[in-house]
Amino acid sequence: WLADRVADLQRELELAEAAVSAFNATTDLVSVEALRGLDRQLKEQRDRIAGLEVSRAQTQAQLVLLRSAGTRADRAAATGDAQLTNMLTQAGMDAAAGRAFDARFRQLSNQVELEGVRLGQQISILQAAEATLQEQIERQSEDLITLQQLTREAEATRLLYEYFLT
């Protein structure tokens, strides 16, 4: 019986070690340290997204302020642009200067609007990258748990085999 049991345990050990090797070969496993690095990267990604969302909210608030400015003086104050402020005094006296003032204001408004669009696109790209990174972390965590379980089972079988062999 003991000889049969040793032979059975040897086959079980070989199968368990083969299962560990096969699992290692079919997955893109990383170490626990690399998984922690991915977690840090995910946190940094989320922080960048939060920062960009704050910037986009500020840009949208500035755009609302620019659009609500009625007079040229309000527009110059809303932009905070020195060139536009200098043009304000001339705009009241000269029609050409008034058109130049209006053109500069439209240019500044368009820049703010484009900045808002650009920030929105960056946020979308970073959120997609964040989702991909989150999926990768979850998949690798599950794979690491499976590998650890297979390794423990193989080690337990090895200890039992060595005990019976002795």
Short mmCIF file of all heavy atoms in Angstrom, two decimals, residues 56 58-64 66-67 105-121:
data_model
loop_
_atom_site.label_atom_id
_atom_site.label_comp_id
_atom_site.label_asym_id
_atom_site.label_seq_id
_atom_site.Cartn_x
_atom_site.Cartn_y
_atom_site.Cartn_z
N ARG A 56 -10.80 72.06 -16.25
CA ARG A 56 -11.91 72.21 -17.20
C ARG A 56 -13.06 72.98 -16.58
O ARG A 56 -13.66 73.83 -17.23
CB ARG A 56 -12.40 70.84 -17.68
CG ARG A 56 -13.53 70.98 -18.72
CD ARG A 56 -13.94 69.68 -19.33
NE ARG A 56 -14.48 68.79 -18.32
CZ ARG A 56 -15.02 67.60 -18.59
NH1 ARG A 56 -15.07 67.17 -19.82
NH2 ARG A 56 -15.49 66.85 -17.62
N GLN A 58 -12.79 75.29 -14.28
CA GLN A 58 -12.36 76.69 -14.25
C GLN A 58 -12.48 77.32 -15.64
O GLN A 58 -12.91 78.46 -15.77
CB GLN A 58 -10.92 76.79 -13.75
CG GLN A 58 -10.76 76.44 -12.30
CD GLN A 58 -9.30 76.33 -11.89
OE1 GLN A 58 -8.40 76.20 -12.72
NE2 GLN A 58 -9.06 76.35 -10.57
N THR A 59 -12.11 76.57 -16.66
CA THR A 59 -12.20 77.07 -18.04
C THR A 59 -13.66 77.32 -18.42
O THR A 59 -13.98 78.33 -19.04
CB THR A 59 -11.55 76.08 -19.01
OG1 THR A 59 -10.18 75.89 -18.62
CG2 THR A 59 -11.59 76.56 -20.44
N GLN A 60 -14.53 76.41 -18.04
CA GLN A 60 -15.95 76.59 -18.35
C GLN A 60 -16.53 77.79 -17.59
O GLN A 60 -17.34 78.54 -18.14
CB GLN A 60 -16.73 75.32 -18.02
CG GLN A 60 -16.45 74.20 -19.00
CD GLN A 60 -17.10 72.87 -18.60
OE1 GLN A 60 -17.45 72.67 -17.44
NE2 GLN A 60 -17.24 71.98 -19.57
N ALA A 61 -16.09 78.00 -16.36
CA ALA A 61 -16.56 79.16 -15.60
C ALA A 61 -16.07 80.45 -16.25
O ALA A 61 -16.82 81.43 -16.35
CB ALA A 61 -16.07 79.07 -14.16
N GLN A 62 -14.83 80.44 -16.72
CA GLN A 62 -14.29 81.61 -17.41
C GLN A 62 -15.05 81.87 -18.71
O GLN A 62 -15.35 83.01 -19.04
CB GLN A 62 -12.80 81.43 -17.70
CG GLN A 62 -12.16 82.66 -18.32
CD GLN A 62 -10.68 82.46 -18.60
OE1 GLN A 62 -10.14 81.37 -18.43
NE2 GLN A 62 -10.04 83.51 -19.05
N LEU A 63 -15.40 80.81 -19.42
CA LEU A 63 -16.15 80.97 -20.66
C LEU A 63 -17.54 81.54 -20.39
O LEU A 63 -18.01 82.42 -21.14
CB LEU A 63 -16.26 79.62 -21.38
CG LEU A 63 -16.84 79.63 -22.79
CD1 LEU A 63 -16.00 80.51 -23.71
CD2 LEU A 63 -16.91 78.22 -23.35
N VAL A 64 -18.19 81.10 -19.34
CA VAL A 64 -19.50 81.65 -18.97
C VAL A 64 -19.36 83.13 -18.64
O VAL A 64 -20.19 83.95 -19.05
CB VAL A 64 -20.10 80.87 -17.77
CG1 VAL A 64 -21.27 81.60 -17.17
CG2 VAL A 64 -20.49 79.47 -18.20
N LEU A 66 -17.07 85.19 -19.78
CA LEU A 66 -16.82 85.92 -21.04
C LEU A 66 -18.10 86.10 -21.83
O LEU A 66 -18.34 87.17 -22.41
CB LEU A 66 -15.77 85.18 -21.88
CG LEU A 66 -14.35 85.17 -21.34
CD1 LEU A 66 -13.46 84.30 -22.22
CD2 LEU A 66 -13.78 86.58 -21.26
N ARG A 67 -18.91 85.08 -21.87
CA ARG A 67 -20.15 85.16 -22.66
C ARG A 67 -21.18 86.08 -22.00
O ARG A 67 -22.03 86.63 -22.69
CB ARG A 67 -20.74 83.76 -22.85
CG ARG A 67 -19.93 82.93 -23.82
CD ARG A 67 -20.52 81.57 -24.04
NE ARG A 67 -19.74 80.82 -25.02
CZ ARG A 67 -19.81 79.53 -25.18
NH1 ARG A 67 -20.64 78.81 -24.43
NH2 ARG A 67 -19.07 78.92 -26.08
N PHE A 105 -11.33 90.22 -28.59
CA PHE A 105 -12.18 89.57 -27.59
C PHE A 105 -12.67 88.22 -28.11
O PHE A 105 -12.65 87.22 -27.38
CB PHE A 105 -13.37 90.46 -27.22
CG PHE A 105 -14.28 89.82 -26.23
CD1 PHE A 105 -13.93 89.73 -24.89
CD2 PHE A 105 -15.49 89.26 -26.61
CE1 PHE A 105 -14.76 89.12 -23.96
CE2 PHE A 105 -16.33 88.65 -25.70
CZ PHE A 105 -15.96 88.58 -24.37
N ARG A 106 -13.10 88.17 -29.38
CA ARG A 106 -13.54 86.89 -29.97
C ARG A 106 -12.39 85.89 -29.99
O ARG A 106 -12.58 84.70 -29.70
CB ARG A 106 -14.08 87.10 -31.38
CG ARG A 106 -15.51 87.59 -31.43
CD ARG A 106 -16.10 87.51 -32.83
NE ARG A 106 -15.34 88.23 -33.82
CZ ARG A 106 -15.44 89.54 -34.08
NH1 ARG A 106 -16.29 90.27 -33.38
NH2 ARG A 106 -14.70 90.11 -35.01
N GLN A 107 -11.20 86.38 -30.31
CA GLN A 107 -10.03 85.50 -30.34
C GLN A 107 -9.76 84.90 -28.95
O GLN A 107 -9.54 83.70 -28.81
CB GLN A 107 -8.80 86.29 -30.82
CG GLN A 107 -7.53 85.47 -30.86
CD GLN A 107 -6.31 86.33 -31.18
OE1 GLN A 107 -6.35 87.55 -31.10
NE2 GLN A 107 -5.23 85.69 -31.55
N LEU A 108 -9.82 85.75 -27.94
CA LEU A 108 -9.60 85.26 -26.57
C LEU A 108 -10.70 84.30 -26.14
O LEU A 108 -10.43 83.28 -25.50
CB LEU A 108 -9.50 86.45 -25.60
CG LEU A 108 -8.27 87.34 -25.77
CD1 LEU A 108 -8.38 88.57 -24.89
CD2 LEU A 108 -7.00 86.56 -25.47
N SER A 109 -11.95 84.61 -26.50
CA SER A 109 -13.07 83.72 -26.16
C SER A 109 -12.90 82.37 -26.85
O SER A 109 -13.14 81.32 -26.24
CB SER A 109 -14.39 84.35 -26.58
OG SER A 109 -14.64 85.51 -25.83
N ASN A 110 -12.49 82.40 -28.10
CA ASN A 110 -12.28 81.15 -28.84
C ASN A 110 -11.15 80.33 -28.22
O ASN A 110 -11.23 79.09 -28.16
CB ASN A 110 -11.99 81.43 -30.31
CG ASN A 110 -13.21 81.90 -31.06
OD1 ASN A 110 -14.35 81.70 -30.62
ND2 ASN A 110 -12.99 82.56 -32.19
N GLN A 111 -10.10 81.00 -27.75
CA GLN A 111 -9.00 80.29 -27.11
C GLN A 111 -9.48 79.57 -25.84
O GLN A 111 -9.11 78.43 -25.59
CB GLN A 111 -7.86 81.25 -26.77
CG GLN A 111 -7.06 81.70 -27.95
CD GLN A 111 -6.01 82.75 -27.58
OE1 GLN A 111 -5.99 83.26 -26.47
NE2 GLN A 111 -5.15 83.06 -28.53
N VAL A 112 -10.30 80.27 -25.07
CA VAL A 112 -10.82 79.66 -23.84
C VAL A 112 -11.72 78.48 -24.19
O VAL A 112 -11.65 77.41 -23.56
CB VAL A 112 -11.58 80.71 -23.00
CG1 VAL A 112 -12.31 80.06 -21.84
CG2 VAL A 112 -10.62 81.77 -22.49
N GLU A 113 -12.55 78.64 -25.22
CA GLU A 113 -13.44 77.56 -25.64
C GLU A 113 -12.64 76.36 -26.14
O GLU A 113 -12.94 75.21 -25.78
CB GLU A 113 -14.37 78.06 -26.74
CG GLU A 113 -15.48 77.10 -27.06
CD GLU A 113 -16.50 77.71 -28.02
OE1 GLU A 113 -16.54 78.93 -28.17
OE2 GLU A 113 -17.26 76.92 -28.59
N LEU A 114 -11.61 76.60 -26.93
CA LEU A 114 -10.76 75.51 -27.43
C LEU A 114 -10.02 74.81 -26.29
O LEU A 114 -9.84 73.60 -26.31
CB LEU A 114 -9.78 76.03 -28.47
CG LEU A 114 -10.38 76.41 -29.82
CD1 LEU A 114 -9.32 77.04 -30.72
CD2 LEU A 114 -10.99 75.21 -30.50
N GLU A 115 -9.61 75.60 -25.31
CA GLU A 115 -8.94 75.01 -24.15
C GLU A 115 -9.89 74.06 -23.41
O GLU A 115 -9.51 72.98 -22.99
CB GLU A 115 -8.44 76.11 -23.20
CG GLU A 115 -7.76 75.61 -21.96
CD GLU A 115 -6.43 74.91 -22.21
OE1 GLU A 115 -5.89 74.99 -23.32
OE2 GLU A 115 -5.94 74.27 -21.28
N GLY A 116 -11.15 74.46 -23.29
CA GLY A 116 -12.15 73.59 -22.66
C GLY A 116 -12.35 72.30 -23.44
O GLY A 116 -12.44 71.22 -22.86
N VAL A 117 -12.40 72.41 -24.76
CA VAL A 117 -12.55 71.22 -25.60
C VAL A 117 -11.33 70.31 -25.47
O VAL A 117 -11.45 69.09 -25.32
CB VAL A 117 -12.78 71.63 -27.08
CG1 VAL A 117 -12.67 70.45 -28.00
CG2 VAL A 117 -14.12 72.33 -27.23
N ARG A 118 -10.14 70.93 -25.48
CA ARG A 118 -8.89 70.16 -25.37
C ARG A 118 -8.84 69.42 -24.03
O ARG A 118 -8.49 68.23 -23.97
CB ARG A 118 -7.68 71.08 -25.51
CG ARG A 118 -6.34 70.36 -25.49
CD ARG A 118 -5.18 71.33 -25.45
NE ARG A 118 -5.13 72.11 -24.23
CZ ARG A 118 -4.66 71.65 -23.06
NH1 ARG A 118 -4.25 70.42 -22.95
NH2 ARG A 118 -4.64 72.42 -22.00
N LEU A 119 -9.21 70.11 -22.96
CA LEU A 119 -9.21 69.46 -21.64
C LEU A 119 -10.22 68.32 -21.59
O LEU A 119 -9.95 67.26 -21.01
CB LEU A 119 -9.52 70.49 -20.55
CG LEU A 119 -8.41 71.49 -20.25
CD1 LEU A 119 -8.91 72.60 -19.34
CD2 LEU A 119 -7.21 70.80 -19.65
N GLY A 120 -11.38 68.50 -22.21
CA GLY A 120 -12.38 67.44 -22.26
C GLY A 120 -11.85 66.21 -22.99
O GLY A 120 -12.08 65.07 -22.57
N GLN A 121 -11.14 66.44 -24.10
CA GLN A 121 -10.57 65.32 -24.85
C GLN A 121 -9.50 64.61 -24.04
O GLN A 121 -9.43 63.38 -24.04
CB GLN A 121 -10.00 65.82 -26.18
CG GLN A 121 -11.05 66.25 -27.17
CD GLN A 121 -10.45 66.94 -28.39
OE1 GLN A 121 -9.30 67.36 -28.40
NE2 GLN A 121 -11.25 67.05 -29.45
#
